[in-house]
Amino acid sequence: MIVELGHFALILALMVALVQSSLPLWGAHRGDARLMALAGPAAGVQLVLVAAAFAALTWAFVVSDFSLAVVVSNSHTLKPMLYKVSGVWGNHEGSLLLWVLILAIYGAAVAAFGGNLPVRLKARVLAVQGLIGVAFMAFLLFTSNPFWRLAVPPLDGQDLNPLLQDPGLAFHPPFLYLGYVGLSMAFSFAVAALIEGRVDAAWGRWVRPWTLAAWIFLTIGIALGSWWAYYELGWGGFWFWDPVENASFMPWLLAAALLHSSIVVEKRESLKAWTILLAIMAFGFSLIGTFIVRSGVITSVHAFANDPERGVFILMILGFFTGGALMLFAARAGAMEARGVFSLVSRESALVANNILLAVSAFVVFIGTIWPLVGSMLLGRDLSVGEPFFNAAFSPFMVALALILPPGAMLAWKRGSLGRSLRSLIPVLVLSLALGALAFALQTGRTALGPIGLMLGAWVGFGALADLWARTGREGIAARAARLGRLPRADWGKATAHFGLGVTIFAVSAMLSWKIEDIRVVQEGETFPLGRYEVRLDRVEEVQGPNYVSTMGTMTVTRGGAFVAILRPEKRFYPVAQMPTTEAAIDYGFLRDIYLVLGDRQNSGGWAVRSYIEPFANWLWAGCILMALGGCLSLSDRRYRVAAGVRKVPAGVPAE
């Protein structure tokens, strides 16, 4: 009965979304305050209905209701409760329902917190958001119904993909979807502004917090996915340039560009057309990511579905929203005339350069991602685009971005002085060069990537701190330190996020250049060297887990005879899914990780063992956390909340 109620609630939500997407839009066109007023309540009702449907599906997973096809395919009675719950979104149908739920949450948030928005703009934003909901709920109900019953339920389920039975993957999709779907708000604001034919400083201020929230969630989601790949897949890496990884990375890059370009719209009323285009393309690339994950056109360990018919439906959604928005953009381009004028050396010019580098780098990732598909369709050949291409094509744009970021952030609006900005950064430059030279002197026979990465990371990170210090004036140190604590949270957020980017740049370079790898066959009781450490394979034994059988090794790590850690890498086998997984054992450290992987038993009686020393691995996750924290600090500044500082428009009064 609960399942049927959930199904019925989802159908009702589709009907409410149809009302939300049509009547308020017509009311905004006619100036009818009563029709426009329907948008807010409709968004709230839609959220309640979709949440009820999601709760019903979650209940079915928790109680193991094997009359539902999706529960049979993705659950099992012996599965731990955490993975029963995460199994709700660990499949195509349930994850799509989560997508729709988050879409409804964003719409209801605008209805609840957008009281200062002009009535017409708010109605149009919610109407566009409702139209996106119509498309995805129709896709869900007609092609991917999570409430599909089986005529003859089995006694037990087929279990969730063992790779997804992990805490990192339990929380990774919700955060990623909060970012993906959050970009729909920027899209809705862009389309609403195009319909009105007006983009101004207030619009830039309204769209920024929604974009910032989406960017924060994307940052956390991508970091969680990368961390999962690092410790779960057993290959000792953190990024494989997998198509699905790229599908989340491209919107992140475009969202970062949109964040910075909206600043120019707000401060100088320039880059209007470009900012609108970025809002359209950022959400468009989120839809492209959805297509990649769910169509089966590109193979990936992260893919949810391999159904071409579903892929065609998603392509239709992509074509309708992205194509329609671009046609509207072309029709309204003349109404987005820039007002602010700025010189070549200015904060605006630096942000333009930032946008170009981020957008082109996203395009490079896109080309590398779809090129195998293009080669298969047009050339009839199986092509592979891997890490060498992305490193060679993508890295130069990030290096250029890192170089211009500190001086660009310190330039004045409209007309700046590059010499003054660089003079403020001389201590940072000296420190960065000194750190790079020290790293180059200490390493022997290795690539220059590590020292260069350290220099760039220090340049970006300490440059952000220098920018923050420069905002305290030119008085004595005590007065400037006191003023530092009174700076707006947005300034602290900007510095924290940029410092986090510097830490991430360094960590990525260090892991790629200073990593130590060892692969060998080891007998029980045998000790082998790993860098400055010694590793002994004490024993290998069979261990019974809750829903798997594990071959677990116990390995002791020492350094110069002193005990360091006991690590237990595993090879698990899930009988229900008939699938093995590798569980790496990691000793996390501030400057390095010791990373051990147990392989198969060899004919000689020994065990294949892969061992790594991963330098500064935790700095990578720390850098991502700092970037997300910086975004949260900026979002908490009331100047950047929705419609902050905008005149309150009385309810029921249309506003242009």
Side-chain angles (χ1 to χ4, degrees):
M1 183 63 179
I2 292 178
V3 170
E4 278 67 33
L5 288 175
H7 192 186
F8 185 60
L10 189 59
I11 296 172
L12 285 179
L14 174 59
M15 295 179 180
V16 172
L18 284 167
V19 172
Q20 178 184 331
S21 62
S22 55
L23 295 183
L25 198 61
W26 179 250
H29 177 69
R30 296 291 302 273
D32 189 327
R34 292 175 300 177
L35 290 179
M36 287 189 286
L38 287 174
V45 171
Q46 184 189 158
L47 172 59
V48 171
L49 291 170
V50 175
F54 190 82
L57 185 62
T58 303
W59 179 87
F61 270 86
V62 169
V63 302
S64 297
D65 183 355
F66 295 121
S67 67
L68 283 186
V70 69
V71 179
V72 172
S73 301
N74 299 279
S75 192
H76 190 271
T77 52
L78 296 179
K79 192 167 65 172
M81 182 56 68
L82 172 63
Y83 305 130
K84 286 187 178 182
V85 175
S86 63
V88 176
W89 54 80
N91 58 86
H92 168 69
E93 294 83 2
S95 66
L96 198 59
L97 183 58
L98 176 64
W99 175 289
V100 173
L101 174 63
I102 293 173
L103 191 69
I105 290 173
Y106 275 106
V110 171
F113 303 113
N116 287 339
L117 290 171
V119 177
R120 272 199 174 96
L121 178 65
K122 181 178 178 180
R124 285 171 171 145
V125 168
L126 288 174
V128 175
Q129 196 74 1
L131 190 60
I132 299 172
V134 169
F136 276 93
M137 277 186 271
F139 176 43
L140 186 60
L141 286 167
F142 295 128
T143 73
S144 313
N145 192 343
F147 299 106
W148 186 264
R149 291 278 197 183
L150 294 176
V152 182
L155 294 177
D156 216 330
Q158 300 170 9
D159 208 358
L160 179 68
N161 184 338
L163 288 175
L164 304 182
Q165 296 186 37
D166 181 87
L169 257 290
F171 300 106
H172 161 67
F175 278 105
L176 205 59
Y177 285 7
L178 283 166
Y180 266 153
V181 183
L183 291 175
S184 68
M185 288 310 312
F187 176 85
S188 296
F189 270 96
V191 172
L194 288 173
I195 294 172
E196 290 194 1
R198 191 184 72 178
V199 179
D200 53 17
W203 180 89
R205 185 162 57 250
W206 289 321
V207 79
R208 273 188 73 194
W210 299 107
T211 306
L212 181 56
W215 181 85
I216 292 169
F217 287 125
L218 267 178
T219 302
I220 297 172
I222 292 172
L224 282 173
S226 176
W227 182 49
W228 168 80
Y230 172 69
Y231 71 77
E232 175 67 22
L233 298 184
W235 53 285
F238 58 91
W239 194 261
F240 194 63
W241 294 106
D242 179 88
V244 178
E245 291 176 336
N246 296 346
S248 62
F249 191 42
M250 291 182 287
W252 184 88
L253 292 168
L254 292 172
L258 176 58
L259 269 177
H260 291 86
S261 65
S262 64
I263 298 174
V264 183
V265 176
E266 179 187 349
K267 300 289 186 183
R268 303 291 302 154
E269 293 210 32
S270 297
L271 302 185
K272 295 179 182 180
W274 172 247
T275 303
I276 291 288
L277 184 61
L278 275 177
I280 295 170
M281 296 310 298
F283 182 59
F285 271 91
S286 293
L287 295 178
I288 290 173
T290 304
F291 172 73
I292 289 175
V293 174
R294 302 174 191 277
S295 64
V297 297
I298 296 178
T299 302
S300 167
V301 68
H302 305 79
F304 274 125
N306 294 297
D307 188 346
E309 293 183 4
R310 291 171 177 172
V312 170
F313 203 116
I314 298 173
L315 275 182
M316 291 170 61
I317 295 175
L318 173 64
F320 176 78
F321 285 103
T322 306
L326 290 176
M327 290 174 62
L328 186 59
F329 172 80
R332 294 289 197 180
M336 291 179 285
E337 182 180 355
R339 295 181 183 178
V341 178
F342 52 88
S343 69
L344 183 62
V345 180
S346 62
R347 179 82 63 86
E348 293 93 330
S349 294
L351 289 171
V352 169
N354 159 289
N355 271 225
I356 292 173
L357 291 170
L358 287 170
V360 173
S361 61
F363 181 72
V364 167
V365 175
F366 177 67
I367 292 298
T369 303
I370 67 165
W371 189 247
L373 178 61
V374 172
S376 176
M377 292 176 60
L378 301 182
L379 305 178
R381 297 170 54 191
D382 292 330
L383 302 177
S384 176
V385 177
E387 185 177 354
F389 166 81
F390 289 105
N391 288 344
F394 177 80
S395 299
F397 298 104
M398 291 298 100
V399 170
L401 182 66
L403 289 173
I404 68 170
L405 195 155
M410 299 180 71
L411 287 172
W413 292 102
K414 192 173 181 179
R415 185 181 300 276
S417 171
L418 185 58
R420 180 181 299 174
S421 297
L422 290 176
R423 281 194 297 271
S424 301
L425 290 168
I426 287 176
V428 175
L429 178 61
V430 172
L431 177 61
S432 302
L433 291 174
L435 288 173
L438 176 63
F440 188 79
L442 291 176
Q443 73 174 27
T444 55
R446 292 183 178 271
T447 172
L449 175 62
I452 292 174
L454 177 56
M455 284 190 292
L456 285 175
W459 172 247
V460 172
F462 292 119
L465 299 182
D467 179 28
L468 193 67
W469 182 251
R471 295 175 183 274
T472 59
R474 298 181 178 276
E475 301 175 12
I477 293 179
R480 296 181 71 177
R483 189 172 297 165
L484 194 65
R486 297 194 298 270
L487 287 176
R489 273 179 279 182
D491 290 344
W492 278 97
K494 170 188 169 184
T496 304
H498 286 178
F499 188 84
L501 176 62
V503 172
T504 302
I505 290 172
F506 163 64
V508 168
S509 303
M511 291 181 73
L512 292 177
S513 58
W514 297 333
K515 177 178 182 176
I516 295 176
E517 180 178 357
D518 181 272
I519 303 175
R520 65 176 67 214
V521 176
V522 184
Q523 302 287 337
E524 292 188 36
E526 182 181 351
T527 300
F528 62 93
L530 179 64
R532 293 175 296 176
Y533 299 89
E534 301 83 36
V535 182
R536 184 179 69 246
L537 176 60
D538 296 324
R539 62 184 180 276
V540 178
E541 55 190 336
E542 298 293 323
V543 177
Q544 180 67 51
N547 62 332
Y548 60 83
V549 178
S550 171
T551 301
M552 178 187 294
T554 300
M555 308 179 78
T556 301
V557 182
T558 57
R559 181 178 177 183
F563 173 80
V564 175
I566 292 179
L567 299 178
R568 294 181 172 88
E570 300 179 61
K571 283 184 65 67
R572 294 179 180 175
F573 180 75
Y574 291 77
V576 176
Q578 289 292 298
M579 182 175 174
T581 65
T582 299
E583 303 291 324
I586 305 173
D587 178 46
Y588 296 97
F590 182 69
L591 299 179
R592 57 87 188 119
D593 284 355
I594 299 176
Y595 187 108
L596 303 178
V597 180
L598 182 68
D600 296 324
R601 190 182 186 96
Q602 306 299 300
N603 294 332
S604 62
W607 295 85
V609 174
R610 284 182 288 131
S611 311
Y612 307 91
I613 293 181
E614 300 281 359
F616 299 98
N618 289 314
W619 290 44
L620 176 61
W621 325 125
C624 294
I625 292 171
L626 285 172
M627 285 191 283
L629 177 62
C632 292
L633 285 173
S634 293
L635 195 60
S636 68
D637 192 322
R638 73 174 304 274
R639 298 180 305 162
Y640 296 97
R641 294 177 193 158
V642 177
V646 180
R647 175 179 59 87
K648 176 82 173 179
V649 180
V653 178
E656 292 292 349

